[in-house]
Amino acid sequence: METGSKSDLVETPPDYSFSPKTWSDRKRKTVIIYIVVVVLALIAVAAILIGVKMTQDHTEKIFQITHTENGIETQETATINKRDGVATFYVTTTNSSATVVYDFTNGVIGIKNNSSVCYVTKMDPSKAPSLDSISQKYQELQASSSGSSSAQNPQNTYYSIQREPVADRSVLGTTINVLCSNNPIYWMQETSGASTSRAACLCYIYTICYFDTCAYYWVCDC
């Protein structure tokens, strides 16, 4: 005698049906992934910029001062780059402008005025201030309330220009080569003030002041 019906012996088949994700679900997931990627990218960029800024703060400093000599006001911006061993001075007055480069790594000083000519000379370590002393003097000046300077220890240095342009520019370093890339460069040689007759020469004067010391560069073409 059968104890159960035939239908009782047949197992119910498993249900493999599923509910497909709607378009809104897929779109929401895509948006979340996109937002996460963008946030991570922004964090990475911010970290890189902060690192670059911190590195630049330790290797390059920029100072701005105003000084008055003989009634002429001069605006001066100095960039001190310890990594490259270079101090660059951008000097502007009412009627003229000049850029002076102290390249301690290559031991040269370069000058470019608002004309199309550059002048270079070998640096005398006993006369040139160090990068640290220049930076310290500018920091002291900017910390003062006036933000201006007046020279207490003026120094006059006279140079004569050599007729032939510099043949090997590789000895001048990157900064001077970039500054004077499209200009002729002439060596200038230091001379005594007494031996330079400014009445018979065409002379340019460049004034570089750092805190309480001014250096006057007389560049004469005789």
Side-chain angles (χ1 to χ4, degrees):
M1 182 175 181
E2 294 181 356
T3 58
S5 64
K6 194 173 182 179
S7 61
D8 294 336
L9 299 177
V10 179
E11 295 182 358
T12 303
D15 184 8
Y16 293 104
S17 63
F18 63 93
S19 300
K21 293 184 178 180
T22 63
W23 170 249
S24 60
D25 292 334
R26 295 179 181 177
K27 185 176 182 181
R28 186 182 300 108
K29 184 178 180 180
T30 303
V31 170
I32 293 174
I33 295 175
Y34 176 78
I35 293 175
V36 171
V37 171
V38 170
V39 170
L40 291 176
L42 291 175
I43 293 174
V45 171
I48 294 173
L49 292 177
I50 292 173
V52 171
K53 181 63 168 60
M54 292 178 64
T55 302
Q56 186 180 35
D57 288 342
H58 284 83
T59 60
E60 185 175 87
K61 296 181 180 180
I62 300 176
F63 304 94
Q64 292 182 326
I65 66 169
T66 301
H67 56 85
T68 303
E69 301 300 325
N70 301 321
I72 300 176
E73 183 178 273
T74 300
Q75 302 289 333
E76 184 174 321
T77 300
T79 301
I80 313 298
N81 190 318
K82 289 189 175 182
R83 181 188 61 188
D84 297 334
V86 175
T88 305
F89 304 89
Y90 306 93
V91 184
T92 304
T93 63
T94 304
N95 301 319
S96 64
S97 62
T99 302
V100 180
V101 176
Y102 282 32
D103 191 329
F104 293 87
T105 301
N106 294 280
V108 291
I109 298 174
I111 299 176
K112 180 183 179 182
N113 61 5
N114 49 5
S115 67
S116 58
V117 180
C118 291
Y119 306 104
V120 292
T121 187
K122 292 292 184 181
M123 180 184 295
D124 185 347
S126 64
K127 295 182 179 180
S130 66
L131 280 176
D132 288 335
S133 64
I134 295 174
S135 180
Q136 180 179 356
K137 288 178 181 293
Y138 274 115
Q139 288 176 351
E140 292 174 355
L141 178 62
Q142 289 195 335
S144 67
S145 58
S146 62
S148 62
S149 71
S150 179
Q152 302 296 324
N153 304 302
Q155 301 172 352
N156 287 280
T157 309
Y158 298 89
Y159 296 92
S160 61
I161 302 172
Q162 295 185 6
R163 296 293 181 180
E164 295 298 325
V166 175
D168 183 10
R169 294 194 175 203
S170 64
V171 300
L172 304 179
T174 301
T175 304
I176 294 177
N177 272 294
V178 171
L179 176 67
C180 305
S181 58
N182 298 318
N183 309 105
I185 306 175
Y186 296 91
W187 283 109
M188 56 184 187
Q189 184 175 2
E190 184 174 351
T191 61
S192 64
S195 63
T196 304
S197 176
R198 282 173 280 167
C201 305
L202 177 61
C203 296
Y204 304 94
I205 181 171
Y206 304 95
T207 305
I208 301 300
C209 293
Y210 45 95
F211 195 49
D212 60 349
T213 301
C214 279
Y216 298 92
Y217 292 93
W218 292 87
V219 182
C220 299
D221 186 4
C222 301

